[in-house]
Amino acid sequence: SAFDVYDVSVLIIILVLTLGFLTKGRLWGKSPSPEEMYNNIGTSEEEAEGNIIKTMEETDKTMVIFFGSQTGTAEDYANRLAKEATARFGLPAMVADLEEYDLSNLNELPSDKFVAFVMATYGEGEPTDNAELFFNFITDEDVTFANEQSADESPLSNLKYAIFGLGNNTYEHYNHCSRLVNKALLALGATRVGPAGEGDEGAGTMEEDYLAWKEELWTAATAEFNLKEKEYVYQPALELTELDDVSDDSVYHGEPNKNHLLHNTASQSLGAHSAHNPFPAKIVATKELFNAKDRSCIHVDIDLTGSNLTYVTGDHAAVWAPNNETEVERLLMVLGLLDKKSTAYTLKAIDPTAKVPFPVPTTYEDTVRYYLEINGPCSRQFLSTLLGFAPTPEAKKEAFRLSSDKDVFQEEISSQYLNIAQTLLLCSNGQPWDKIPFTIMIETLPRLQPRYYSISSSSQVDKKKFSITAVVESIRVPGRKEPLKGVATNYIKKLKHLMSNTVDSDKFMVDYQHEGPRGYLVDKSSDTLKMLVHIRRSNFKLPTDPTKPVIMIGPGTGVAPFRGFVHERATQARNGTPVGPMILFFGSRHPEQDFLYQEEWSEIGEQLGDKFKLVTAFSRVGNDKIYVQHKLVEYGELVSKYIDEGANFYVCGDASHMARDVSHALATIIAKYKGISEFEAEEVVKSLRVQNRYQEDVW
Ligand code: FAD
């Protein structure tokens, strides 16, 4: 017969092997490799289960504000909107994480309920991780809701919603996510209340965009839901209780979670590390990369040994920094808490939908140092909610004058980069505002976020050691006594100084409690310092085929991931792998001041020969300001040739202008060397993006 026993058994073996291959071994229960586990970070495989209708009924809520947030900003605005709904209109409102609810029952939400979406657009037009499931569901052409009648053309005709998107106009897909969700909801028959709001990070108008949008929203909602405005009264969602006789072992002194507390008090394991459980990593080396009097850029080598964390060239590393001691003291002083800064307290949610935002019990000073973003720009709306707690009538009058006028606030507060403590002190002439309940700070200030850095090393050189390249934020503002000090970069700078035992010439250098909670960021036995880090996967990756040409545009610290790329290919070449050509466009002010990794490029050039070319653009040499995009055009012929040969094109660094200018420059090149119109060339650039051959890592 055509199939004898032998043929059949061979076929079965092939089938089993193929299935095993296709399922990457999952069929026979192989546990995922660390790489696979790590690749799952941030993508929840489980379906969301929360039922919003049930939750709203059980907690007597009329309004729900869903957020899609990556770095916490959208979540912060969602919280503010909920607070305002309740405090100003008596509208019981809750905030909900899009990831936690299955919204396939939106069609069954009663029409007296009000739903708002506050959604950020992330990366190249993507939804934030926590909004992905909902975004894919609602924008699907064949979206089907629970118990939906097949003839129902407007399944969401009961739904009244509001929407505010957070985006950045320097990106190609500005506010893509909220726009698509808005469009989908309208198409499904929902009614929007108020305008579709859009906040623009790129133009620096996010806060005022939000304020303008929410005023229009409330005007429309007042009519739609017959709301009555009442006098603002602060209604705490959290109850704070001071603890007199608590064992210090159970008090969080800045630990990010329970694992770390137990580790610090009883030497327990820290568990698997992730974005929710950072790793105290040893700092191997630090180095100043600039040679300039008042500017600093620090290279840090960090060791992941002892953790499950791994990275791949092109990924991002997150640094968890505390706030600086000057600002910690300042805020404690303003709130009249200096005397009892080390008193422990705990928090309880009064409202069942409110969340305790950080681990408790903790102390006032640890809260301000480790858990709250206290240095950010003071919000006009926040100041206005604090009027009732002013220490004197004069302070109240001044705070009212500032908070009630957008332009005055811009001129006297925002343009001076003042934070909340500095603003309050300005209003009261230095007097404390000790009537402000601490819970307002906890409920209003966002949680202190880790800062992200493009990894500047190659995992093929050392998979457990990575480096970052951070420019220290120290902004001089005319009219302001001290420069504005960025949170994480000045912490990195402090660590560098401790490690190199140098005295800093910066008279405005700020201090940090670098030892960390209970001193666990200092390794006493080896006398090394540690910092909390985690790794985030990115799509910014070298082509899998090492022979493909690579074009890299990385001015300033935008060169960081390309250092990793170039080291990676140099290693491959050393190991005998044939590699394709790489061209790197680097730009900075002056070759003698801020030419990052200058010596390394020469060494690599010697190793890679004609496979590596560095093109530099310096903006403060000579009379003409030369930027990378100019150099790109100058090398247009070569760039065009590489694109023809299947090159990948990478842009990293400043999102405000450079990324856009580079994209246009590439279109100009393609138009010229392909003999097509600018319009057609822009389409070619777009298709390169779609094919993932044009990648951006911009911030
Ligand atoms: P922050 O305290 O966060 O301040 C940052 C800025 O916020 C200030 O410069 C100022 O403009 C504004 N600001 C802060 N406080 C106020 C105030 N009170 N009033 C008004 N404005 C205020 N950076 C690098 O140097 N190298 C990299 O490789 C790198 N890669 C990145 C990759 C990604 C994916 C992302 C998202 C960012 C990257 N960054 C990189 C930027 C980095 O994450 C930080 O934003 C940067 O280092 C500043 O952090 P900071 O905590 O020191 O400053």
Side-chain angles (χ1 to χ4, degrees), residues 611-629:
K611 297 291 181 202
F612 175 64
K613 179 158 187 61
L614 174 73
V615 178
T616 52
F618 296 106
S619 62
R620 306 226 174 142
V621 176
N623 291 334
D624 298 331
K625 290 202 161 169
I626 310 281
Y627 293 112
V628 280
Q629 57 270 29

PDB file of all heavy atoms in Angstrom, residues 611-629:
ATOM      1  N   LYS A 611      33.690  49.096   7.175  1.00  0.00           N
ATOM      2  CA  LYS A 611      32.316  48.731   7.560  1.00  0.00           C
ATOM      3  C   LYS A 611      31.726  49.738   8.534  1.00  0.00           C
ATOM      4  O   LYS A 611      30.558  49.646   8.916  1.00  0.00           O
ATOM      5  CB  LYS A 611      32.293  47.339   8.223  1.00  0.00           C
ATOM      6  CG  LYS A 611      32.720  46.212   7.326  1.00  0.00           C
ATOM      7  CD  LYS A 611      31.695  45.973   6.237  1.00  0.00           C
ATOM      8  CE  LYS A 611      32.136  44.820   5.358  1.00  0.00           C
ATOM      9  NZ  LYS A 611      31.498  44.875   4.043  1.00  0.00           N
ATOM     10  N   PHE A 612      32.525  50.674   9.030  1.00  0.00           N
ATOM     11  CA  PHE A 612      31.998  51.662   9.962  1.00  0.00           C
ATOM     12  C   PHE A 612      32.430  53.064   9.575  1.00  0.00           C
ATOM     13  O   PHE A 612      33.607  53.327   9.350  1.00  0.00           O
ATOM     14  CB  PHE A 612      32.494  51.361  11.381  1.00  0.00           C
ATOM     15  CG  PHE A 612      32.086  52.404  12.389  1.00  0.00           C
ATOM     16  CD1 PHE A 612      30.736  52.614  12.685  1.00  0.00           C
ATOM     17  CD2 PHE A 612      33.027  53.195  13.037  1.00  0.00           C
ATOM     18  CE1 PHE A 612      30.350  53.585  13.603  1.00  0.00           C
ATOM     19  CE2 PHE A 612      32.647  54.170  13.953  1.00  0.00           C
ATOM     20  CZ  PHE A 612      31.300  54.357  14.240  1.00  0.00           C
ATOM     21  N   LYS A 613      31.426  53.955   9.468  1.00  0.00           N
ATOM     22  CA  LYS A 613      31.756  55.338   9.168  1.00  0.00           C
ATOM     23  C   LYS A 613      31.049  56.248  10.147  1.00  0.00           C
ATOM     24  O   LYS A 613      29.849  56.102  10.393  1.00  0.00           O
ATOM     25  CB  LYS A 613      31.326  55.666   7.737  1.00  0.00           C
ATOM     26  CG  LYS A 613      31.633  57.099   7.383  1.00  0.00           C
ATOM     27  CD  LYS A 613      31.726  57.334   5.887  1.00  0.00           C
ATOM     28  CE  LYS A 613      32.195  58.755   5.597  1.00  0.00           C
ATOM     29  NZ  LYS A 613      33.535  59.054   6.130  1.00  0.00           N
ATOM     30  N   LEU A 614      31.820  57.180  10.718  1.00  0.00           N
ATOM     31  CA  LEU A 614      31.228  58.162  11.630  1.00  0.00           C
ATOM     32  C   LEU A 614      31.195  59.515  10.926  1.00  0.00           C
ATOM     33  O   LEU A 614      32.205  59.963  10.398  1.00  0.00           O
ATOM     34  CB  LEU A 614      32.082  58.264  12.900  1.00  0.00           C
ATOM     35  CG  LEU A 614      31.661  59.358  13.882  1.00  0.00           C
ATOM     36  CD1 LEU A 614      30.372  58.982  14.593  1.00  0.00           C
ATOM     37  CD2 LEU A 614      32.756  59.611  14.911  1.00  0.00           C
ATOM     38  N   VAL A 615      30.016  60.133  10.918  1.00  0.00           N
ATOM     39  CA  VAL A 615      29.894  61.475  10.345  1.00  0.00           C
ATOM     40  C   VAL A 615      29.480  62.410  11.470  1.00  0.00           C
ATOM     41  O   VAL A 615      28.519  62.118  12.192  1.00  0.00           O
ATOM     42  CB  VAL A 615      28.832  61.500   9.222  1.00  0.00           C
ATOM     43  CG1 VAL A 615      28.674  62.901   8.659  1.00  0.00           C
ATOM     44  CG2 VAL A 615      29.186  60.515   8.119  1.00  0.00           C
ATOM     45  N   THR A 616      30.209  63.501  11.669  1.00  0.00           N
ATOM     46  CA  THR A 616      29.881  64.385  12.796  1.00  0.00           C
ATOM     47  C   THR A 616      29.337  65.727  12.330  1.00  0.00           C
ATOM     48  O   THR A 616      29.682  66.220  11.260  1.00  0.00           O
ATOM     49  CB  THR A 616      31.140  64.652  13.644  1.00  0.00           C
ATOM     50  OG1 THR A 616      32.181  65.099  12.765  1.00  0.00           O
ATOM     51  CG2 THR A 616      31.589  63.417  14.378  1.00  0.00           C
ATOM     52  N   ALA A 617      28.492  66.288  13.170  1.00  0.00           N
ATOM     53  CA  ALA A 617      27.945  67.633  12.920  1.00  0.00           C
ATOM     54  C   ALA A 617      28.089  68.415  14.217  1.00  0.00           C
ATOM     55  O   ALA A 617      27.545  68.010  15.240  1.00  0.00           O
ATOM     56  CB  ALA A 617      26.474  67.514  12.534  1.00  0.00           C
ATOM     57  N   PHE A 618      28.843  69.520  14.185  1.00  0.00           N
ATOM     58  CA  PHE A 618      28.999  70.322  15.400  1.00  0.00           C
ATOM     59  C   PHE A 618      28.336  71.674  15.190  1.00  0.00           C
ATOM     60  O   PHE A 618      28.586  72.360  14.194  1.00  0.00           O
ATOM     61  CB  PHE A 618      30.478  70.478  15.755  1.00  0.00           C
ATOM     62  CG  PHE A 618      31.113  69.148  16.087  1.00  0.00           C
ATOM     63  CD1 PHE A 618      31.984  68.534  15.201  1.00  0.00           C
ATOM     64  CD2 PHE A 618      30.791  68.501  17.278  1.00  0.00           C
ATOM     65  CE1 PHE A 618      32.545  67.301  15.504  1.00  0.00           C
ATOM     66  CE2 PHE A 618      31.345  67.268  17.583  1.00  0.00           C
ATOM     67  CZ  PHE A 618      32.221  66.657  16.690  1.00  0.00           C
ATOM     68  N   SER A 619      27.478  72.041  16.144  1.00  0.00           N
ATOM     69  CA  SER A 619      26.672  73.245  15.911  1.00  0.00           C
ATOM     70  C   SER A 619      27.354  74.520  16.381  1.00  0.00           C
ATOM     71  O   SER A 619      26.922  75.611  16.043  1.00  0.00           O
ATOM     72  CB  SER A 619      25.321  73.082  16.600  1.00  0.00           C
ATOM     73  OG  SER A 619      25.511  72.938  17.987  1.00  0.00           O
ATOM     74  N   ARG A 620      28.403  74.405  17.199  1.00  0.00           N
ATOM     75  CA  ARG A 620      29.036  75.637  17.690  1.00  0.00           C
ATOM     76  C   ARG A 620      30.489  75.761  17.255  1.00  0.00           C
ATOM     77  O   ARG A 620      31.341  76.201  18.004  1.00  0.00           O
ATOM     78  CB  ARG A 620      28.928  75.703  19.209  1.00  0.00           C
ATOM     79  CG  ARG A 620      27.504  75.549  19.691  1.00  0.00           C
ATOM     80  CD  ARG A 620      27.122  76.553  20.717  1.00  0.00           C
ATOM     81  NE  ARG A 620      25.695  76.412  20.994  1.00  0.00           N
ATOM     82  CZ  ARG A 620      25.151  76.538  22.182  1.00  0.00           C
ATOM     83  NH1 ARG A 620      25.890  76.812  23.216  1.00  0.00           N
ATOM     84  NH2 ARG A 620      23.854  76.411  22.338  1.00  0.00           N
ATOM     85  N   VAL A 621      30.750  75.322  16.066  1.00  0.00           N
ATOM     86  CA  VAL A 621      32.080  75.493  15.493  1.00  0.00           C
ATOM     87  C   VAL A 621      31.859  76.265  14.200  1.00  0.00           C
ATOM     88  O   VAL A 621      31.021  75.877  13.402  1.00  0.00           O
ATOM     89  CB  VAL A 621      32.728  74.126  15.184  1.00  0.00           C
ATOM     90  CG1 VAL A 621      34.069  74.321  14.495  1.00  0.00           C
ATOM     91  CG2 VAL A 621      32.892  73.310  16.447  1.00  0.00           C
ATOM     92  N   GLY A 622      32.596  77.336  14.042  1.00  0.00           N
ATOM     93  CA  GLY A 622      32.399  78.124  12.829  1.00  0.00           C
ATOM     94  C   GLY A 622      31.098  78.917  12.902  1.00  0.00           C
ATOM     95  O   GLY A 622      30.435  78.957  13.946  1.00  0.00           O
ATOM     96  N   ASN A 623      30.722  79.497  11.803  1.00  0.00           N
ATOM     97  CA  ASN A 623      29.578  80.401  11.821  1.00  0.00           C
ATOM     98  C   ASN A 623      28.247  79.699  11.589  1.00  0.00           C
ATOM     99  O   ASN A 623      27.215  80.119  12.088  1.00  0.00           O
ATOM    100  CB  ASN A 623      29.751  81.495  10.758  1.00  0.00           C
ATOM    101  CG  ASN A 623      30.882  82.432  11.147  1.00  0.00           C
ATOM    102  OD1 ASN A 623      31.183  82.559  12.342  1.00  0.00           O
ATOM    103  ND2 ASN A 623      31.520  83.045  10.164  1.00  0.00           N
ATOM    104  N   ASP A 624      28.296  78.595  10.809  1.00  0.00           N
ATOM    105  CA  ASP A 624      27.041  77.926  10.479  1.00  0.00           C
ATOM    106  C   ASP A 624      26.723  76.866  11.515  1.00  0.00           C
ATOM    107  O   ASP A 624      27.604  76.142  11.967  1.00  0.00           O
ATOM    108  CB  ASP A 624      27.148  77.252   9.109  1.00  0.00           C
ATOM    109  CG  ASP A 624      27.391  78.272   8.022  1.00  0.00           C
ATOM    110  OD1 ASP A 624      26.937  79.418   8.202  1.00  0.00           O
ATOM    111  OD2 ASP A 624      28.040  77.924   7.014  1.00  0.00           O
ATOM    112  N   LYS A 625      25.458  76.820  11.879  1.00  0.00           N
ATOM    113  CA  LYS A 625      25.044  75.761  12.797  1.00  0.00           C
ATOM    114  C   LYS A 625      24.782  74.507  11.982  1.00  0.00           C
ATOM    115  O   LYS A 625      23.842  74.455  11.200  1.00  0.00           O
ATOM    116  CB  LYS A 625      23.772  76.173  13.536  1.00  0.00           C
ATOM    117  CG  LYS A 625      24.041  77.269  14.509  1.00  0.00           C
ATOM    118  CD  LYS A 625      22.997  77.335  15.586  1.00  0.00           C
ATOM    119  CE  LYS A 625      23.598  78.124  16.722  1.00  0.00           C
ATOM    120  NZ  LYS A 625      22.849  78.549  17.757  1.00  0.00           N
ATOM    121  N   ILE A 626      25.628  73.506  12.150  1.00  0.00           N
ATOM    122  CA  ILE A 626      25.475  72.273  11.384  1.00  0.00           C
ATOM    123  C   ILE A 626      24.846  71.203  12.269  1.00  0.00           C
ATOM    124  O   ILE A 626      25.340  70.942  13.363  1.00  0.00           O
ATOM    125  CB  ILE A 626      26.854  71.749  10.884  1.00  0.00           C
ATOM    126  CG1 ILE A 626      27.642  72.856  10.197  1.00  0.00           C
ATOM    127  CG2 ILE A 626      26.688  70.523  10.006  1.00  0.00           C
ATOM    128  CD1 ILE A 626      27.214  73.141   8.791  1.00  0.00           C
ATOM    129  N   TYR A 627      23.765  70.629  11.768  1.00  0.00           N
ATOM    130  CA  TYR A 627      23.097  69.568  12.517  1.00  0.00           C
ATOM    131  C   TYR A 627      23.129  68.269  11.722  1.00  0.00           C
ATOM    132  O   TYR A 627      23.403  68.270  10.519  1.00  0.00           O
ATOM    133  CB  TYR A 627      21.647  69.959  12.823  1.00  0.00           C
ATOM    134  CG  TYR A 627      21.548  71.123  13.770  1.00  0.00           C
ATOM    135  CD1 TYR A 627      21.068  72.368  13.338  1.00  0.00           C
ATOM    136  CD2 TYR A 627      21.947  70.993  15.096  1.00  0.00           C
ATOM    137  CE1 TYR A 627      20.986  73.442  14.213  1.00  0.00           C
ATOM    138  CE2 TYR A 627      21.868  72.065  15.971  1.00  0.00           C
ATOM    139  CZ  TYR A 627      21.385  73.287  15.532  1.00  0.00           C
ATOM    140  OH  TYR A 627      21.316  74.339  16.403  1.00  0.00           O
ATOM    141  N   VAL A 628      22.771  67.171  12.410  1.00  0.00           N
ATOM    142  CA  VAL A 628      22.843  65.863  11.753  1.00  0.00           C
ATOM    143  C   VAL A 628      22.036  65.792  10.460  1.00  0.00           C
ATOM    144  O   VAL A 628      22.458  65.146   9.498  1.00  0.00           O
ATOM    145  CB  VAL A 628      22.399  64.703  12.694  1.00  0.00           C
ATOM    146  CG1 VAL A 628      23.509  64.310  13.638  1.00  0.00           C
ATOM    147  CG2 VAL A 628      21.130  65.036  13.429  1.00  0.00           C
ATOM    148  N   GLN A 629      20.878  66.448  10.442  1.00  0.00           N
ATOM    149  CA  GLN A 629      20.061  66.344   9.221  1.00  0.00           C
ATOM    150  C   GLN A 629      20.768  66.958   8.005  1.00  0.00           C
ATOM    151  O   GLN A 629      20.591  66.498   6.875  1.00  0.00           O
ATOM    152  CB  GLN A 629      18.653  66.944   9.423  1.00  0.00           C
ATOM    153  CG  GLN A 629      18.576  68.380   9.875  1.00  0.00           C
ATOM    154  CD  GLN A 629      18.568  68.491  11.396  1.00  0.00           C
ATOM    155  OE1 GLN A 629      19.131  67.642  12.098  1.00  0.00           O
ATOM    156  NE2 GLN A 629      17.958  69.543  11.918  1.00  0.00           N
TER     157      GLN A 629
END
